[in-house]
Amino acid sequence: MIRRSSIVIALLLSLGSAPAWAHVGEQGPISTVTQQLGTREVTIRFELPPFAPGAVRLTISSDAAMPWTLRASAVPSGLSAPPAPMTQRQLRPAEVVTIDLPVDQAGRWELLLDDGSAAARVPFVIAALQLAPGDAQLAGALIALLLTLLLGMVVAALGRTPGEWLARGQVAALTAVVIIGAQQWAQRSAAPPPAGGRPHAVMTLHTAPAALLAGQPTQLQLAFIDGATGLMADDIEVHHEAYVHLVILDDAEQSFSHIHPARTAPGRYQVAWTPPAPGDYTVYAEIVRHGGGASVLSRRLTVVGAARPRTPPPMLPLSSATPAGVQIALTAAPLDLGRPTVITVQARDAAGTPAAIRTWLGMAGHLVVRSADRQIYAHVHAMPSTDADGTVRFVYQFPGPGEYQLHAQLALDGGVTTISGTLAMPEGADAPQP
Amino acid sequence: MHRNPSPWLILALLLVACAAPAFNGTAATDALRVSLNVDRLAVGMVEVHVTVADRDGRPLPADAITLMPVMPTMGHLNPEIAMGSGADVRRSVALFSMTGDWTVWVRVTAAGGESLVSFDMRVP
């Protein structure tokens, strides 16, 4: 009897180790999303409840320079408007607010955010407790076995002889457990791993207004379309805390923008942008589709307006000061073709003390590299460092000789700052490359 | 003389254990609520049951209901499958052409409008 009970307990415990089914869009109970909402970049930290009903806890911060009004609501995916009035908060610059929004069912949801003019819809998933196929039958067989064993124990404790029916019931239940358990095991062992990857995506870019004028605010409207089916690609995942990292560079390398469009509908994103000067621009969108790697899609824009004198980006090494008086130096070494180059950004305050560098978009720093002929585009992340020395380091192996524009970004106490410069990689004998 | 019931029970359990899993799901839009039942998540002919209701749960006869199976990982988009009309329709259809993760879109034309909902499922 003890041996039989042990088998039952072991089998019951094995039920708990069944792998959970994956949910599309599920990013774990805690995740962070950064998006541009109107004129400000808003960072939303999600804490999802383990089950519904429950509440989604949002911790929202922004880089707003002015007070603003935030409205938020959670709606089941598919509904265009919230069933109840949205939660409204008045936020001061740099204020961090926590909002709890109720969710009453498992499944796909959307967080509706707006500031009175701009709006965003951020999808999230409340996980459902799902049994794998056959789990219910296995649980039923285990319960039947447990009950017949307990009944046998009770009959024995009462000093009576168990009837043949009980023994047959125990054998039947045990057989059922073995059969269903073996079937489950065989099915899971034979099941192929979930297929990964996605077809390529196509990006369309429209602007409103259609004609771009230097200095005039415009809305960039992006749509991502599955390259094989033509359906909207609504499986873009958050990577480095944003759905889309949009980098806009002009051909003259006079301007640099790294912004994060807000998701407005499945596969559709929008962000405000003001072209600083006339000229031709390239818009690079970095995305990661569910189950796929990162990819960069680009589109060209032309901006008209009155031409003005333009200064080429300074050559490295260079240094510049932020409005807050922090001195930032940008250097790179060694400049040997075919070998990794370390690009160093050093931030010091007026007293020469290392400035505090905060994590931004999950990294200590971001570096965009583009070759002068626009053939090479790279987004490099800072090497992890625990040193509080006001320094971030990037490593990149320049693929060929020539000039490259570098745009390094890091978050200081006063906000995100960008330092740009030009690096000249000399001709040289190629070293053996990995 | 006793008849031993165990072989019959074992046979029944074997049949249950070998059966393909089913799918049940409900999705809602601003206008209506759609429930989808697929009797077997398997390649080949399966029985599909679609019910349409308004937001208050009252049956809502649809002018047309169609299914569109998509396999996102493979980039497969199958032609739409007409299910017919009404608030409660059943049909035996070839929904899945291979095993894997599928998204089944259900397009409902009702009350002068068109709604689209989707359901994710895995065909083992």
Side-chain angles (χ1 to χ4, degrees), chain B residues 31-33 51-61 87:
Chain B
L32 48 81
R33 190 179 299 272
T51 60
V52 182
D54 65 16
R55 294 287 301 165
D56 298 323
R58 291 185 295 264
L60 179 67

Side-chain angles (χ1 to χ4, degrees), chain A residues 2 12 21 90 148 185 187 192 218 326:
Chain A
I2 292 171
L12 275 172
W21 281 25
Q90 304 291 330
T148 54
W185 178 82
Q187 208 170 54
T218 183
V326 177

Side-chain angles (χ1 to χ4, degrees), chain A residues 79-80 108 176 179 183 198, chain B residues 13-14 16-17 29-30 73 120:
Chain A
L79 301 191
S80 59
R108 295 177 180 181
I179 290 172
Q183 188 257 355
R198 283 290 192 275
Chain B
L13 286 165
L14 265 174
V16 169
T29 68
D30 291 339
T73 53
D120 294 328

